[in-house]
Amino acid sequence: MKKIFFISLLMLVSSLLSAQPNYKVVFDLTSRDTVDHKLALRWANEVLKADKNAQVEIVLFGQSLAMIAKDKSVVSDAVTKLSANRNAAIKVCKVALKAHNVEENQLVPGVQTVPDGIYEIINKQRQGWGYIKVSH
Amino acid sequence: MKKIFFISLLMLVSSLLSAQPNYKVVFDLTSRDTVDHKLALRWANEVLKADKNAQVEIVLFGQSLAMIAKDKSVVSDAVTKLSANRNAAIKVCKVALKAHNVEENQLVPGVQTVPDGIYEIINKQRQGWGYIKVSH
Amino acid sequence: MKKIFFISLLMLVSSLLSAQPNYKVVFDLTSRDTVDHKLALRWANEVLKADKNAQVEIVLFGQSLAMIAKDKSVVSDAVTKLSANRNAAIKVCKVALKAHNVEENQLVPGVQTVPDGIYEIINKQRQGWGYIKVSH
């Protein structure tokens, strides 16, 4: 009985600890400024470079949609390239897409959509991901 | 004994899980820009719309006080309306009020005060609320 | 056995609770704007004033390096003074130093370096520190 208890306790503790991953970051990007679009990409790439097991996600809402709209983005190649990394994702909020009249077929290849950008971000935080607001 | 152990473990785990609520967000607002004042309100309202059990709180400090000062706010009606929602709160830091010579009787109706805005925010984070910095 | 179980449970719970410190804040500073440099220092000092056991850390990366470069900082005295507080630290990202050609011997006295500013921030978050993005 005693043994089972301690094994269970150990499993519980280790499951709690393992909920804290090594290097996972969600970047919150709401800026229309292309400097911030470039910074988000640079920081995400630097994290992936620092740790090959790192995971990064850039979540766009608010006024940042020019970054991922085909006809407006100044970083579309870098967006597609980062999205192709299996440890990275670039996700845009559908509520923001609708508010800014951006159709899903106008998105830069590789960009994913989520129903609610804010929920996406806080859900990642809840799962133990670090949070970085992109600004300069 | 075995039964008690597993019940206790279950209670412990469920209490830990319940500390992670469904959709609770604290918005950190320090900007003097009225665009950010409108964004904070829009985002808070969108969260409440997305989930009727969601909880939102906008915490103001730094240079954002014009949003909640009667004679300066361009969003006073929206501030009062949001504050009336039992799942929402708009709270301003007393240290910031003092630093900017804003009296409590000058606050837009519905706005609450907290002794320390930064503590309010980090305490919410500690309780499992998501954090979003308001900027654009 | 029962006693051991409850003592172990108590230890587990208290270790979880003690992982949530009273008042610890990491400030994320990426702005080149000297207003933000002053705000970061003011907020850090206010936290330390509010609670003598509080701990604060300002982490600089991105475009904020003028704050801690000897020949550019407009707040060098305040940086050195805050750094001297045993409950405070000002840390700059080595990747950012290299990217902006700032040598370590050009740093304002008291400033520390970290290999990776983003990792420093998310690691603090993981340890239960609150997170505040500095902007205005």
Side-chain angles (χ1 to χ4, degrees), chain A residues 2 5 9 12-13 20-23 43 46 50 130-133 135-136, chain C residues 5 8 12 30-31 61 63 95 116 118-119 121-122 125-126 131 133:
Chain A
K2 203 170 172 180
F5 169 71
L9 196 67
L12 177 64
V13 171
Q20 301 290 39
N22 281 328
Y23 202 170
W43 295 345
E46 276 171 5
Y131 168 89
I132 298 283
K133 179 79 184 193
S135 72
H136 75 281
Chain C
F5 170 70
S8 302
L12 178 64
T30 52
S31 163
F61 64 110
Q63 310 201 348
V95 180
D116 179 340
I118 291 176
Y119 186 81
I121 290 170
I122 72 144
Q125 290 178 24
R126 199 188 291 174
Y131 168 89
K133 180 78 183 194

PDB file of all heavy atoms in Angstrom, chain A residues 2 5 9 12-13 20-23 43 46 50 130-133 135-136, chain C residues 5 8 12 30-31 61 63 95 116 118-119 121-122 125-126 131 133:
ATOM      1  N   LYS A   2       1.844   1.218   0.909  1.00  0.00           N
ATOM      2  CA  LYS A   2       2.758   2.342   1.051  1.00  0.00           C
ATOM      3  C   LYS A   2       3.469   2.594  -0.286  1.00  0.00           C
ATOM      4  O   LYS A   2       3.607   3.722  -0.745  1.00  0.00           O
ATOM      5  CB  LYS A   2       3.781   1.990   2.129  1.00  0.00           C
ATOM      6  CG  LYS A   2       4.428   3.200   2.763  1.00  0.00           C
ATOM      7  CD  LYS A   2       5.243   2.778   3.985  1.00  0.00           C
ATOM      8  CE  LYS A   2       6.061   3.922   4.542  1.00  0.00           C
ATOM      9  NZ  LYS A   2       6.830   3.496   5.714  1.00  0.00           N
ATOM     10  N   PHE A   5       1.275   4.069  -2.873  1.00  0.00           N
ATOM     11  CA  PHE A   5       1.064   5.490  -2.613  1.00  0.00           C
ATOM     12  C   PHE A   5       2.213   6.331  -3.172  1.00  0.00           C
ATOM     13  O   PHE A   5       2.002   7.303  -3.885  1.00  0.00           O
ATOM     14  CB  PHE A   5       0.913   5.749  -1.112  1.00  0.00           C
ATOM     15  CG  PHE A   5       0.969   7.205  -0.796  1.00  0.00           C
ATOM     16  CD1 PHE A   5      -0.084   8.039  -1.159  1.00  0.00           C
ATOM     17  CD2 PHE A   5       2.079   7.759  -0.178  1.00  0.00           C
ATOM     18  CE1 PHE A   5      -0.032   9.400  -0.897  1.00  0.00           C
ATOM     19  CE2 PHE A   5       2.133   9.114   0.078  1.00  0.00           C
ATOM     20  CZ  PHE A   5       1.076   9.934  -0.283  1.00  0.00           C
ATOM     21  N   LEU A   9       2.231   9.070  -6.064  1.00  0.00           N
ATOM     22  CA  LEU A   9       2.655  10.435  -5.778  1.00  0.00           C
ATOM     23  C   LEU A   9       3.730  10.865  -6.781  1.00  0.00           C
ATOM     24  O   LEU A   9       3.699  11.967  -7.332  1.00  0.00           O
ATOM     25  CB  LEU A   9       3.205  10.504  -4.344  1.00  0.00           C
ATOM     26  CG  LEU A   9       3.346  11.895  -3.754  1.00  0.00           C
ATOM     27  CD1 LEU A   9       1.983  12.536  -3.549  1.00  0.00           C
ATOM     28  CD2 LEU A   9       4.053  11.819  -2.397  1.00  0.00           C
ATOM     29  N   LEU A  12       2.228  11.483 -10.088  1.00  0.00           N
ATOM     30  CA  LEU A  12       1.496  12.749 -10.067  1.00  0.00           C
ATOM     31  C   LEU A  12       2.458  13.923 -10.211  1.00  0.00           C
ATOM     32  O   LEU A  12       2.274  14.804 -11.050  1.00  0.00           O
ATOM     33  CB  LEU A  12       0.720  12.861  -8.743  1.00  0.00           C
ATOM     34  CG  LEU A  12      -0.050  14.153  -8.529  1.00  0.00           C
ATOM     35  CD1 LEU A  12      -1.153  14.304  -9.565  1.00  0.00           C
ATOM     36  CD2 LEU A  12      -0.652  14.200  -7.131  1.00  0.00           C
ATOM     37  N   VAL A  13       3.512  13.903  -9.389  1.00  0.00           N
ATOM     38  CA  VAL A  13       4.486  14.993  -9.423  1.00  0.00           C
ATOM     39  C   VAL A  13       5.151  15.078 -10.792  1.00  0.00           C
ATOM     40  O   VAL A  13       5.270  16.151 -11.374  1.00  0.00           O
ATOM     41  CB  VAL A  13       5.549  14.813  -8.307  1.00  0.00           C
ATOM     42  CG1 VAL A  13       6.681  15.817  -8.475  1.00  0.00           C
ATOM     43  CG2 VAL A  13       4.899  14.973  -6.938  1.00  0.00           C
ATOM     44  N   GLN A  20       5.366  21.181 -17.786  1.00  0.00           N
ATOM     45  CA  GLN A  20       6.197  22.366 -17.997  1.00  0.00           C
ATOM     46  C   GLN A  20       7.269  22.021 -19.017  1.00  0.00           C
ATOM     47  O   GLN A  20       8.315  21.512 -18.666  1.00  0.00           O
ATOM     48  CB  GLN A  20       6.858  22.783 -16.674  1.00  0.00           C
ATOM     49  CG  GLN A  20       5.894  23.100 -15.555  1.00  0.00           C
ATOM     50  CD  GLN A  20       5.108  24.367 -15.772  1.00  0.00           C
ATOM     51  OE1 GLN A  20       4.691  24.668 -16.891  1.00  0.00           O
ATOM     52  NE2 GLN A  20       4.886  25.123 -14.741  1.00  0.00           N
ATOM     53  N   PRO A  21       7.015  22.271 -20.287  1.00  0.00           N
ATOM     54  CA  PRO A  21       7.946  21.809 -21.305  1.00  0.00           C
ATOM     55  C   PRO A  21       9.213  22.650 -21.325  1.00  0.00           C
ATOM     56  O   PRO A  21       9.286  23.680 -20.670  1.00  0.00           O
ATOM     57  CB  PRO A  21       7.160  21.994 -22.578  1.00  0.00           C
ATOM     58  CG  PRO A  21       6.260  23.148 -22.287  1.00  0.00           C
ATOM     59  CD  PRO A  21       5.949  23.081 -20.822  1.00  0.00           C
ATOM     60  N   ASN A  22      10.174  22.202 -22.104  1.00  0.00           N
ATOM     61  CA  ASN A  22      11.468  22.861 -22.114  1.00  0.00           C
ATOM     62  C   ASN A  22      11.448  24.270 -22.667  1.00  0.00           C
ATOM     63  O   ASN A  22      11.829  25.214 -22.014  1.00  0.00           O
ATOM     64  CB  ASN A  22      12.460  22.009 -22.905  1.00  0.00           C
ATOM     65  CG  ASN A  22      12.948  20.863 -22.050  1.00  0.00           C
ATOM     66  OD1 ASN A  22      13.060  21.009 -20.835  1.00  0.00           O
ATOM     67  ND2 ASN A  22      13.217  19.736 -22.667  1.00  0.00           N
ATOM     68  N   TYR A  23      10.974  24.404 -23.901  1.00  0.00           N
ATOM     69  CA  TYR A  23      11.079  25.721 -24.536  1.00  0.00           C
ATOM     70  C   TYR A  23       9.930  25.848 -25.536  1.00  0.00           C
ATOM     71  O   TYR A  23      10.067  25.478 -26.703  1.00  0.00           O
ATOM     72  CB  TYR A  23      12.433  25.859 -25.229  1.00  0.00           C
ATOM     73  CG  TYR A  23      12.899  27.287 -25.467  1.00  0.00           C
ATOM     74  CD1 TYR A  23      14.202  27.564 -25.892  1.00  0.00           C
ATOM     75  CD2 TYR A  23      12.055  28.368 -25.289  1.00  0.00           C
ATOM     76  CE1 TYR A  23      14.656  28.861 -26.108  1.00  0.00           C
ATOM     77  CE2 TYR A  23      12.482  29.666 -25.506  1.00  0.00           C
ATOM     78  CZ  TYR A  23      13.785  29.911 -25.910  1.00  0.00           C
ATOM     79  OH  TYR A  23      14.214  31.201 -26.138  1.00  0.00           O
ATOM     80  N   TRP A  43      12.395  36.381 -33.888  1.00  0.00           N
ATOM     81  CA  TRP A  43      12.403  35.772 -32.546  1.00  0.00           C
ATOM     82  C   TRP A  43      11.991  34.306 -32.612  1.00  0.00           C
ATOM     83  O   TRP A  43      12.600  33.455 -31.949  1.00  0.00           O
ATOM     84  CB  TRP A  43      11.498  36.563 -31.598  1.00  0.00           C
ATOM     85  CG  TRP A  43      11.983  37.971 -31.335  1.00  0.00           C
ATOM     86  CD1 TRP A  43      13.235  38.468 -31.603  1.00  0.00           C
ATOM     87  CD2 TRP A  43      11.243  39.058 -30.757  1.00  0.00           C
ATOM     88  NE1 TRP A  43      13.308  39.794 -31.234  1.00  0.00           N
ATOM     89  CE2 TRP A  43      12.104  40.177 -30.709  1.00  0.00           C
ATOM     90  CE3 TRP A  43       9.945  39.211 -30.273  1.00  0.00           C
ATOM     91  CZ2 TRP A  43      11.697  41.420 -30.201  1.00  0.00           C
ATOM     92  CZ3 TRP A  43       9.544  40.437 -29.758  1.00  0.00           C
ATOM     93  CH2 TRP A  43      10.413  41.532 -29.718  1.00  0.00           C
ATOM     94  N   GLU A  46      14.867  32.372 -33.912  1.00  0.00           N
ATOM     95  CA  GLU A  46      15.962  32.286 -32.942  1.00  0.00           C
ATOM     96  C   GLU A  46      15.671  31.237 -31.868  1.00  0.00           C
ATOM     97  O   GLU A  46      16.571  30.529 -31.427  1.00  0.00           O
ATOM     98  CB  GLU A  46      16.220  33.652 -32.294  1.00  0.00           C
ATOM     99  CG  GLU A  46      17.125  34.522 -33.162  1.00  0.00           C
ATOM    100  CD  GLU A  46      17.217  35.967 -32.666  1.00  0.00           C
ATOM    101  OE1 GLU A  46      16.658  36.271 -31.598  1.00  0.00           O
ATOM    102  OE2 GLU A  46      17.840  36.786 -33.370  1.00  0.00           O
ATOM    103  N   ALA A  50      17.916  27.985 -31.115  1.00  0.00           N
ATOM    104  CA  ALA A  50      18.518  27.782 -29.784  1.00  0.00           C
ATOM    105  C   ALA A  50      18.269  26.368 -29.262  1.00  0.00           C
ATOM    106  O   ALA A  50      19.091  25.828 -28.523  1.00  0.00           O
ATOM    107  CB  ALA A  50      17.956  28.801 -28.793  1.00  0.00           C
ATOM    108  N   GLY A 130       5.378  29.635 -22.592  1.00  0.00           N
ATOM    109  CA  GLY A 130       5.703  31.020 -22.277  1.00  0.00           C
ATOM    110  C   GLY A 130       4.972  31.957 -23.226  1.00  0.00           C
ATOM    111  O   GLY A 130       4.579  31.566 -24.329  1.00  0.00           O
ATOM    112  N   TYR A 131       4.799  33.192 -22.778  1.00  0.00           N
ATOM    113  CA  TYR A 131       4.071  34.200 -23.552  1.00  0.00           C
ATOM    114  C   TYR A 131       4.979  35.405 -23.774  1.00  0.00           C
ATOM    115  O   TYR A 131       5.595  35.904 -22.821  1.00  0.00           O
ATOM    116  CB  TYR A 131       2.828  34.638 -22.785  1.00  0.00           C
ATOM    117  CG  TYR A 131       2.124  35.876 -23.319  1.00  0.00           C
ATOM    118  CD1 TYR A 131       1.127  35.773 -24.289  1.00  0.00           C
ATOM    119  CD2 TYR A 131       2.437  37.154 -22.846  1.00  0.00           C
ATOM    120  CE1 TYR A 131       0.460  36.904 -24.765  1.00  0.00           C
ATOM    121  CE2 TYR A 131       1.771  38.290 -23.317  1.00  0.00           C
ATOM    122  CZ  TYR A 131       0.788  38.155 -24.275  1.00  0.00           C
ATOM    123  OH  TYR A 131       0.135  39.272 -24.742  1.00  0.00           O
ATOM    124  N   ILE A 132       5.059  35.832 -25.018  1.00  0.00           N
ATOM    125  CA  ILE A 132       5.813  37.050 -25.347  1.00  0.00           C
ATOM    126  C   ILE A 132       4.940  37.937 -26.229  1.00  0.00           C
ATOM    127  O   ILE A 132       4.483  37.510 -27.294  1.00  0.00           O
ATOM    128  CB  ILE A 132       7.120  36.713 -26.116  1.00  0.00           C
ATOM    129  CG1 ILE A 132       8.073  35.843 -25.280  1.00  0.00           C
ATOM    130  CG2 ILE A 132       7.823  38.001 -26.589  1.00  0.00           C
ATOM    131  CD1 ILE A 132       8.842  36.564 -24.192  1.00  0.00           C
ATOM    132  N   LYS A 133       4.690  39.172 -25.784  1.00  0.00           N
ATOM    133  CA  LYS A 133       3.997  40.136 -26.631  1.00  0.00           C
ATOM    134  C   LYS A 133       5.013  40.745 -27.575  1.00  0.00           C
ATOM    135  O   LYS A 133       6.070  41.214 -27.154  1.00  0.00           O
ATOM    136  CB  LYS A 133       3.388  41.246 -25.777  1.00  0.00           C
ATOM    137  CG  LYS A 133       2.657  42.313 -26.582  1.00  0.00           C
ATOM    138  CD  LYS A 133       1.283  41.826 -26.996  1.00  0.00           C
ATOM    139  CE  LYS A 133       0.522  42.780 -27.870  1.00  0.00           C
ATOM    140  NZ  LYS A 133      -0.911  42.413 -27.987  1.00  0.00           N
ATOM    141  N   SER A 135       6.368  43.597 -29.630  1.00  0.00           N
ATOM    142  CA  SER A 135       6.288  45.045 -29.849  1.00  0.00           C
ATOM    143  C   SER A 135       7.717  45.582 -29.832  1.00  0.00           C
ATOM    144  O   SER A 135       8.655  44.853 -29.535  1.00  0.00           O
ATOM    145  CB  SER A 135       5.433  45.721 -28.785  1.00  0.00           C
ATOM    146  OG  SER A 135       6.091  45.747 -27.552  1.00  0.00           O
ATOM    147  N   HIS A 136       7.880  46.826 -30.151  1.00  0.00           N
ATOM    148  CA  HIS A 136       9.230  47.396 -30.127  1.00  0.00           C
ATOM    149  C   HIS A 136       9.169  48.881 -29.753  1.00  0.00           C
ATOM    150  O   HIS A 136       8.083  49.456 -29.732  1.00  0.00           O
ATOM    151  CB  HIS A 136       9.912  47.229 -31.496  1.00  0.00           C
ATOM    152  CG  HIS A 136       9.402  48.176 -32.540  1.00  0.00           C
ATOM    153  ND1 HIS A 136       8.217  47.961 -33.214  1.00  0.00           N
ATOM    154  CD2 HIS A 136       9.885  49.344 -33.000  1.00  0.00           C
ATOM    155  CE1 HIS A 136       8.002  48.937 -34.067  1.00  0.00           C
ATOM    156  NE2 HIS A 136       8.987  49.800 -33.963  1.00  0.00           N
TER     157      HIS A 136
ATOM    158  N   PHE C   5       0.212   9.359   4.648  1.00  0.00           N
ATOM    159  CA  PHE C   5      -0.447   9.849   3.437  1.00  0.00           C
ATOM    160  C   PHE C   5      -0.764  11.335   3.541  1.00  0.00           C
ATOM    161  O   PHE C   5      -0.444  12.114   2.653  1.00  0.00           O
ATOM    162  CB  PHE C   5      -1.739   9.063   3.165  1.00  0.00           C
ATOM    163  CG  PHE C   5      -2.552   9.697   2.082  1.00  0.00           C
ATOM    164  CD1 PHE C   5      -2.111   9.657   0.760  1.00  0.00           C
ATOM    165  CD2 PHE C   5      -3.717  10.380   2.374  1.00  0.00           C
ATOM    166  CE1 PHE C   5      -2.840  10.266  -0.237  1.00  0.00           C
ATOM    167  CE2 PHE C   5      -4.449  10.984   1.378  1.00  0.00           C
ATOM    168  CZ  PHE C   5      -4.009  10.928   0.069  1.00  0.00           C
ATOM    169  N   SER C   8       2.323  13.490   3.466  1.00  0.00           N
ATOM    170  CA  SER C   8       2.857  13.561   2.104  1.00  0.00           C
ATOM    171  C   SER C   8       2.017  14.488   1.238  1.00  0.00           C
ATOM    172  O   SER C   8       2.525  15.297   0.465  1.00  0.00           O
ATOM    173  CB  SER C   8       2.872  12.172   1.466  1.00  0.00           C
ATOM    174  OG  SER C   8       3.654  11.308   2.258  1.00  0.00           O
ATOM    175  N   LEU C  12       3.167  17.833  -0.573  1.00  0.00           N
ATOM    176  CA  LEU C  12       2.981  18.028  -2.011  1.00  0.00           C
ATOM    177  C   LEU C  12       2.263  19.346  -2.285  1.00  0.00           C
ATOM    178  O   LEU C  12       2.708  20.160  -3.086  1.00  0.00           O
ATOM    179  CB  LEU C  12       2.170  16.857  -2.584  1.00  0.00           C
ATOM    180  CG  LEU C  12       1.840  16.938  -4.067  1.00  0.00           C
ATOM    181  CD1 LEU C  12       3.106  16.893  -4.904  1.00  0.00           C
ATOM    182  CD2 LEU C  12       0.915  15.795  -4.478  1.00  0.00           C
ATOM    183  N   THR C  30      11.465  45.533 -24.796  1.00  0.00           N
ATOM    184  CA  THR C  30      12.030  45.444 -26.142  1.00  0.00           C
ATOM    185  C   THR C  30      11.979  46.788 -26.868  1.00  0.00           C
ATOM    186  O   THR C  30      12.346  46.873 -28.035  1.00  0.00           O
ATOM    187  CB  THR C  30      11.245  44.418 -26.995  1.00  0.00           C
ATOM    188  OG1 THR C  30       9.850  44.734 -26.939  1.00  0.00           O
ATOM    189  CG2 THR C  30      11.455  43.000 -26.489  1.00  0.00           C
ATOM    190  N   SER C  31      11.552  47.813 -26.175  1.00  0.00           N
ATOM    191  CA  SER C  31      11.312  49.102 -26.819  1.00  0.00           C
ATOM    192  C   SER C  31      12.559  49.988 -26.835  1.00  0.00           C
ATOM    193  O   SER C  31      13.320  50.036 -25.869  1.00  0.00           O
ATOM    194  CB  SER C  31      10.191  49.831 -26.069  1.00  0.00           C
ATOM    195  OG  SER C  31      10.170  51.194 -26.388  1.00  0.00           O
ATOM    196  N   PHE C  61      15.764  42.742 -24.604  1.00  0.00           N
ATOM    197  CA  PHE C  61      16.205  42.226 -25.896  1.00  0.00           C
ATOM    198  C   PHE C  61      15.583  43.103 -26.962  1.00  0.00           C
ATOM    199  O   PHE C  61      15.140  44.210 -26.666  1.00  0.00           O
ATOM    200  CB  PHE C  61      15.880  40.721 -26.049  1.00  0.00           C
ATOM    201  CG  PHE C  61      14.421  40.349 -26.060  1.00  0.00           C
ATOM    202  CD1 PHE C  61      13.803  39.893 -27.226  1.00  0.00           C
ATOM    203  CD2 PHE C  61      13.649  40.442 -24.910  1.00  0.00           C
ATOM    204  CE1 PHE C  61      12.466  39.520 -27.243  1.00  0.00           C
ATOM    205  CE2 PHE C  61      12.301  40.082 -24.907  1.00  0.00           C
ATOM    206  CZ  PHE C  61      11.708  39.632 -26.079  1.00  0.00           C
ATOM    207  N   GLN C  63      14.954  45.873 -29.365  1.00  0.00           N
ATOM    208  CA  GLN C  63      15.511  47.185 -29.675  1.00  0.00           C
ATOM    209  C   GLN C  63      15.723  48.063 -28.440  1.00  0.00           C
ATOM    210  O   GLN C  63      15.828  49.290 -28.550  1.00  0.00           O
ATOM    211  CB  GLN C  63      14.584  47.879 -30.676  1.00  0.00           C
ATOM    212  CG  GLN C  63      14.262  46.976 -31.872  1.00  0.00           C
ATOM    213  CD  GLN C  63      13.793  47.750 -33.083  1.00  0.00           C
ATOM    214  OE1 GLN C  63      13.496  48.927 -33.016  1.00  0.00           O
ATOM    215  NE2 GLN C  63      13.752  47.081 -34.226  1.00  0.00           N
ATOM    216  N   VAL C  95      22.278  37.428 -27.447  1.00  0.00           N
ATOM    217  CA  VAL C  95      21.972  37.395 -28.885  1.00  0.00           C
ATOM    218  C   VAL C  95      21.698  38.820 -29.382  1.00  0.00           C
ATOM    219  O   VAL C  95      22.167  39.225 -30.447  1.00  0.00           O
ATOM    220  CB  VAL C  95      20.755  36.485 -29.175  1.00  0.00           C
ATOM    221  CG1 VAL C  95      20.444  36.448 -30.669  1.00  0.00           C
ATOM    222  CG2 VAL C  95      20.981  35.080 -28.642  1.00  0.00           C
ATOM    223  N   ASP C 116      20.040  33.992 -23.591  1.00  0.00           N
ATOM    224  CA  ASP C 116      18.844  34.050 -24.420  1.00  0.00           C
ATOM    225  C   ASP C 116      17.740  34.745 -23.615  1.00  0.00           C
ATOM    226  O   ASP C 116      17.199  34.179 -22.668  1.00  0.00           O
ATOM    227  CB  ASP C 116      18.442  32.597 -24.768  1.00  0.00           C
ATOM    228  CG  ASP C 116      17.191  32.508 -25.627  1.00  0.00           C
ATOM    229  OD1 ASP C 116      16.399  33.471 -25.665  1.00  0.00           O
ATOM    230  OD2 ASP C 116      16.999  31.445 -26.246  1.00  0.00           O
ATOM    231  N   ILE C 118      14.616  35.603 -24.350  1.00  0.00           N
ATOM    232  CA  ILE C 118      13.269  35.018 -24.397  1.00  0.00           C
ATOM    233  C   ILE C 118      13.193  33.806 -23.472  1.00  0.00           C
ATOM    234  O   ILE C 118      12.234  33.652 -22.715  1.00  0.00           O
ATOM    235  CB  ILE C 118      12.886  34.646 -25.852  1.00  0.00           C
ATOM    236  CG1 ILE C 118      12.700  35.924 -26.682  1.00  0.00           C
ATOM    237  CG2 ILE C 118      11.620  33.798 -25.880  1.00  0.00           C
ATOM    238  CD1 ILE C 118      12.419  35.692 -28.164  1.00  0.00           C
ATOM    239  N   TYR C 119      14.243  32.979 -23.487  1.00  0.00           N
ATOM    240  CA  TYR C 119      14.244  31.821 -22.589  1.00  0.00           C
ATOM    241  C   TYR C 119      14.222  32.264 -21.130  1.00  0.00           C
ATOM    242  O   TYR C 119      13.514  31.693 -20.298  1.00  0.00           O
ATOM    243  CB  TYR C 119      15.448  30.913 -22.846  1.00  0.00           C
ATOM    244  CG  TYR C 119      15.367  29.654 -22.030  1.00  0.00           C
ATOM    245  CD1 TYR C 119      14.573  28.593 -22.446  1.00  0.00           C
ATOM    246  CD2 TYR C 119      16.026  29.548 -20.809  1.00  0.00           C
ATOM    247  CE1 TYR C 119      14.451  27.450 -21.677  1.00  0.00           C
ATOM    248  CE2 TYR C 119      15.906  28.412 -20.031  1.00  0.00           C
ATOM    249  CZ  TYR C 119      15.125  27.362 -20.473  1.00  0.00           C
ATOM    250  OH  TYR C 119      14.988  26.243 -19.705  1.00  0.00           O
ATOM    251  N   ILE C 121      12.878  34.876 -19.896  1.00  0.00           N
ATOM    252  CA  ILE C 121      11.528  35.337 -19.546  1.00  0.00           C
ATOM    253  C   ILE C 121      10.560  34.169 -19.360  1.00  0.00           C
ATOM    254  O   ILE C 121       9.833  34.095 -18.376  1.00  0.00           O
ATOM    255  CB  ILE C 121      10.988  36.299 -20.629  1.00  0.00           C
ATOM    256  CG1 ILE C 121      11.760  37.616 -20.581  1.00  0.00           C
ATOM    257  CG2 ILE C 121       9.489  36.548 -20.452  1.00  0.00           C
ATOM    258  CD1 ILE C 121      11.478  38.540 -21.737  1.00  0.00           C
ATOM    259  N   ILE C 122      10.581  33.241 -20.324  1.00  0.00           N
ATOM    260  CA  ILE C 122       9.583  32.167 -20.209  1.00  0.00           C
ATOM    261  C   ILE C 122       9.935  31.214 -19.067  1.00  0.00           C
ATOM    262  O   ILE C 122       9.062  30.605 -18.469  1.00  0.00           O
ATOM    263  CB  ILE C 122       9.367  31.392 -21.535  1.00  0.00           C
ATOM    264  CG1 ILE C 122      10.552  30.496 -21.856  1.00  0.00           C
ATOM    265  CG2 ILE C 122       9.045  32.316 -22.682  1.00  0.00           C
ATOM    266  CD1 ILE C 122      10.092  29.222 -22.508  1.00  0.00           C
ATOM    267  N   GLN C 125       8.433  32.767 -16.070  1.00  0.00           N
ATOM    268  CA  GLN C 125       6.978  32.522 -16.088  1.00  0.00           C
ATOM    269  C   GLN C 125       6.677  31.127 -15.567  1.00  0.00           C
ATOM    270  O   GLN C 125       5.763  30.912 -14.767  1.00  0.00           O
ATOM    271  CB  GLN C 125       6.421  32.669 -17.512  1.00  0.00           C
ATOM    272  CG  GLN C 125       6.413  34.102 -18.037  1.00  0.00           C
ATOM    273  CD  GLN C 125       5.890  34.205 -19.483  1.00  0.00           C
ATOM    274  OE1 GLN C 125       5.151  33.354 -19.960  1.00  0.00           O
ATOM    275  NE2 GLN C 125       6.296  35.238 -20.187  1.00  0.00           N
ATOM    276  N   ARG C 126       7.461  30.174 -16.044  1.00  0.00           N
ATOM    277  CA  ARG C 126       7.291  28.766 -15.664  1.00  0.00           C
ATOM    278  C   ARG C 126       7.485  28.567 -14.170  1.00  0.00           C
ATOM    279  O   ARG C 126       6.887  27.684 -13.565  1.00  0.00           O
ATOM    280  CB  ARG C 126       8.349  27.968 -16.438  1.00  0.00           C
ATOM    281  CG  ARG C 126       8.104  26.535 -16.565  1.00  0.00           C
ATOM    282  CD  ARG C 126       9.303  25.869 -17.174  1.00  0.00           C
ATOM    283  NE  ARG C 126       9.496  26.233 -18.581  1.00  0.00           N
ATOM    284  CZ  ARG C 126      10.560  25.865 -19.292  1.00  0.00           C
ATOM    285  NH1 ARG C 126      11.519  25.139 -18.733  1.00  0.00           N
ATOM    286  NH2 ARG C 126      10.669  26.223 -20.550  1.00  0.00           N
ATOM    287  N   TYR C 131       4.274  38.161 -15.388  1.00  0.00           N
ATOM    288  CA  TYR C 131       4.891  38.735 -16.582  1.00  0.00           C
ATOM    289  C   TYR C 131       4.198  40.049 -16.926  1.00  0.00           C
ATOM    290  O   TYR C 131       2.966  40.104 -16.973  1.00  0.00           O
ATOM    291  CB  TYR C 131       4.728  37.758 -17.745  1.00  0.00           C
ATOM    292  CG  TYR C 131       5.067  38.312 -19.135  1.00  0.00           C
ATOM    293  CD1 TYR C 131       6.365  38.248 -19.641  1.00  0.00           C
ATOM    294  CD2 TYR C 131       4.082  38.892 -19.937  1.00  0.00           C
ATOM    295  CE1 TYR C 131       6.667  38.735 -20.906  1.00  0.00           C
ATOM    296  CE2 TYR C 131       4.380  39.382 -21.211  1.00  0.00           C
ATOM    297  CZ  TYR C 131       5.679  39.302 -21.687  1.00  0.00           C
ATOM    298  OH  TYR C 131       5.978  39.780 -22.937  1.00  0.00           O
ATOM    299  N   LYS C 133       4.615  43.071 -19.920  1.00  0.00           N
ATOM    300  CA  LYS C 133       5.290  43.679 -21.063  1.00  0.00           C
ATOM    301  C   LYS C 133       5.337  45.175 -20.835  1.00  0.00           C
ATOM    302  O   LYS C 133       4.317  45.802 -20.536  1.00  0.00           O
ATOM    303  CB  LYS C 133       4.504  43.391 -22.353  1.00  0.00           C
ATOM    304  CG  LYS C 133       5.141  43.982 -23.602  1.00  0.00           C
ATOM    305  CD  LYS C 133       6.316  43.161 -24.082  1.00  0.00           C
ATOM    306  CE  LYS C 133       7.020  43.731 -25.276  1.00  0.00           C
ATOM    307  NZ  LYS C 133       7.943  42.744 -25.895  1.00  0.00           N
TER     308      LYS C 133
END
